[in-house]
């Protein structure tokens, strides 16, 4: 696994999720916060997929709710695939906790967890570590947030995620499985993917790097 690419992917997701949270509450995204220095853990080729998480409502991995804190809720992993068939998942509660502390997220998010996907050795046509998808799963404070809110979230996320990849070149919308998925293309070749599940209460946003388009694979494997 190429640790530099893993670090870049993790940085993209941190920038994107914070920028999206700022824009969704009606503010202008500010400069990158130095409070987010860590990266997602780099899995080895032998790393096992994460165990199936408990349902999102009241999981044992959730931190206590205090005021408007964003809960670091490992139960949110139940909304995304655990891996298999060459897809490997790794999680980093420490990075998730740092992102969750950003005050710009509190108006919109009540829970957050992040994961990274790579391909096991021998399953990628590219070089080792060239295919990465970093996923954020966000429980909304207001499950009824409308389409305009979601559009602002996506646009701000894509702008931040593509900032070091040539900027956003285009947007698309398609159905993947049973979900409507919004796709952002960066000029440099990476992609973003967004959808809402659980009657709109959960937002899944992905930054995907590499020719295998792992973001699309993750979307394909979401539960109906």
């Amino acid at each position: 696994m190429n640790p530099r690419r893993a670090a870049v992917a993790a940085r993209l997701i941190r920038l994107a999720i914070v920028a999206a949270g700022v824009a969704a509450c009606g503010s202008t995204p500010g400069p990158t916060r130095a409070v987010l220095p860590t990266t997602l853990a780099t899995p080895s080729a032998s790393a096992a997929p994460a165990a199936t998480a408990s349902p999102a409502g009241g999981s044992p991995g959730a931190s206590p709710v205090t005021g408007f804190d964003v809960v670091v809720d490992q139960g949110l992993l139940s909304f995304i695939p655990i891996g298999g068939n060459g897809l490997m998942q790794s999680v980093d509660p420490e990075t998730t906790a740092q992102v969750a502390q950003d005050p710009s997220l509190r108006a919109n998010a009540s829970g957050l967890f992040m994961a990274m996907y790579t391909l096991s050795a021998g399953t990628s046509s590219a070089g080792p570590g060239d295919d990465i998808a970093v996923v954020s799963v966000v429980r909304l404070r207001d499950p009824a947030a409308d389409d305009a809110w979601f559009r602002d979230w996506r646009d701000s996320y894509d702008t931040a995620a593509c900032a070091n990849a040539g900027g956003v070149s285009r947007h698309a919308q398609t159905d993947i499985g049973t979900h409507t998925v919004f796709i952002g293309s960066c000029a440099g070749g990476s992609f973003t993917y967004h959808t809402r599940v659980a009657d709109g209460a959960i937002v899944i946003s992905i930054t995907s790097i590499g020719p295998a388009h792992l973001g699309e694979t993750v979307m394909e494997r979401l539960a109906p």
Side-chain angles (χ1 to χ4, degrees):
M1 175 89 185
N2 185 324
R4 181 178 180 276
R5 291 185 69 84
V8 169
R11 182 174 180 273
L12 287 176
I13 197 70
R14 290 198 301 273
L15 289 172
I17 188 106
V18 171
V22 172
C25 63
S27 302
T28 302
T32 305
R33 291 169 56 87
V35 72
L36 306 173
T38 61
T39 61
L40 284 168
T42 302
S44 65
S46 60
T52 302
S54 57
S59 72
S63 60
V65 177
T66 305
F68 287 93
D69 287 353
V70 179
V71 176
V72 177
D73 187 358
Q74 192 160 347
L76 291 171
L77 290 175
S78 63
F79 289 101
I80 57 178
I82 63 172
N85 296 325
L87 189 67
M88 301 195 309
Q89 182 199 79
S90 61
V91 298
D92 187 351
E94 190 173 316
T95 296
T96 303
Q98 293 192 28
V99 175
Q101 290 172 12
D102 194 289
S104 63
L105 296 178
R106 294 175 185 169
N108 298 284
S110 63
L112 171 70
F113 210 80
M114 296 163 61
M116 183 169 72
Y117 292 90
T118 55
L119 290 175
S120 59
T123 59
S124 175
S125 59
D130 282 344
D131 291 300
I132 301 169
V134 185
V135 182
S136 61
V137 187
V138 180
R139 183 190 293 109
L140 298 184
R141 200 168 293 282
D142 177 13
D146 61 15
D147 290 343
W149 177 91
F150 191 32
R151 183 169 56 251
D152 286 344
W153 174 276
R154 300 191 310 268
D155 288 348
S156 299
Y157 181 109
D158 292 354
T159 297
C162 294
N164 292 327
V168 180
S169 61
R170 65 185 179 90
H171 292 100
Q173 177 181 334
T174 189
D175 291 332
I176 300 179
T178 60
H179 304 285
T180 299
V181 178
F182 299 87
I183 303 172
S185 301
C186 303
S190 54
F191 295 88
T192 65
Y193 300 82
H194 307 272
T195 194
R196 293 175 75 169
V197 299
D199 295 326
I202 304 295
V203 171
I204 297 173
S205 292
I206 303 174
T207 300
S208 181
I209 301 171
H213 301 290
L214 293 187
E216 184 172 340
T217 300
V218 172
M219 287 294 181
E220 287 173 348
R221 297 192 190 180
L222 296 181

